Amino acid sequence: MDSTTATELWDRVVGSQPAPDLWLVILTAAIALGAVVPWNVWRITRNAVTIAHEGGHALVALLSGRRLDGIRLHSDTSGLTVSRGRPTGLGMILTAAAGYTAPSLLGLAGAGLLAAGHITALLWGAAVLLAAMLVMIRNAYGMLTVVLTGAAFVLVSWLAGPQVQAAFAYGVVWFLLLGGVRPPFELQRKRRRGGAADSDADQLARLTSVPAAAWLLLFHVVTLCSLAAGARWLLGV
């Protein structure tokens, strides 16, 4: 790649692109909602939320000074991130709290990028994050899902036209914002039935002596507020 091509590529990534028509923004929201609400669809699309969930655990673990041992993603849409460090303290608390909030916060960050017109930057940034996550995946199913997800971002950002890129980017962000809301409600339902005794909320309760219900409330507040703020940015209202 010569310097001219590299410069053009860099300008394309960091530059801004025109916002799509409002009808396209609303259409992508409707498609994302259709990928979240029906159970038969959600049981498949939830894998993408699990990637963001476990990625949130991993990123915060590294930022808080913990040593990341690996990430596993399973076909039942569950996941596991293993890190080493102090079993208590702020770093462990932040790591445990990051999972359920990560998809929505990523969606909110993505909405901010799209509102600023950085569609290509979002696509390339997501591909880079997925590539970094792939290094820490420790099972075959996890590698397959991350590779396929990353490949979708690369192909769209490299080969698709501006309209398709915009539709894909807006669809992904809407999905993270909407999909991030559902898992805390699912966890709440499981805990009401006596399940999920080792959930993130219960681990946080043991780490902090703050009831698991309070942590679950925090998850709800973060995800719903992220959806509200992100929707306003995406719709330009």
Side-chain angles (χ1 to χ4, degrees):
M1 180 181 294
D2 58 38
S3 60
T4 302
T5 304
T7 301
E8 291 175 350
L9 180 60
W10 176 251
D11 290 341
R12 177 184 173 191
V13 172
V14 301
S16 60
Q17 294 78 41
D21 295 331
L22 181 59
W23 70 264
L24 182 60
V25 177
I26 295 174
L27 177 61
T28 55
I31 293 173
L33 190 64
V36 171
V37 174
W39 168 248
N40 288 337
V41 179
W42 174 244
R43 62 190 298 181
I44 299 172
T45 59
R46 197 183 194 280
N47 283 284
V49 173
T50 302
I51 291 174
H53 179 115
E54 299 303 330
H57 282 314
L59 178 60
V60 174
L62 291 173
L63 291 176
S64 61
R66 299 180 62 81
R67 177 181 174 184
L68 187 61
D69 279 354
I71 304 169
R72 291 179 176 271
L73 305 172
H74 304 128
S75 58
D76 63 355
T77 73
S78 65
L80 176 66
T81 298
V82 179
S83 63
R84 293 184 184 180
R86 289 184 56 195
T88 59
L90 182 60
M92 187 63 203
I93 293 170
L94 292 175
T95 299
Y100 277 95
T101 57
S104 294
L105 292 177
L106 284 172
L108 183 61
L113 282 173
L114 294 181
H118 296 298
I119 296 172
T120 304
L122 183 146
L123 297 174
W124 282 71
V128 169
L129 288 175
L130 287 165
M133 186 176 180
L134 181 62
V135 177
M136 298 308 301
I137 298 294
R138 295 293 182 263
N139 66 322
Y141 182 82
M143 292 184 67
L144 177 63
T145 55
V146 173
V147 167
L148 291 177
T149 305
F153 280 95
V154 171
L155 290 174
V156 170
S157 61
W158 193 261
L159 300 177
Q163 194 81 339
V164 174
Q165 287 189 13
F168 183 79
Y170 273 79
V172 167
V173 171
W174 275 119
F175 175 77
L176 288 173
L177 291 170
L178 292 165
V181 171
R182 183 163 179 170
F185 282 101
E186 292 177 336
L187 176 58
Q188 183 176 356
R189 187 161 53 250
K190 288 179 182 178
R191 295 190 73 257
R192 190 181 297 120
R193 296 172 179 171
D198 200 35
S199 70
D200 292 355
D202 292 280
Q203 291 182 42
L204 286 162
R206 291 192 289 270
L207 286 167
T208 63
S209 298
V210 176
W215 288 105
L216 190 55
L217 176 61
L218 175 65
F219 298 160
H220 284 309
V221 170
V222 172
T223 56
L224 290 170
C225 288
S226 295
L227 173 59
R232 290 193 64 181
W233 285 344
L234 293 175
L235 294 170
V237 298

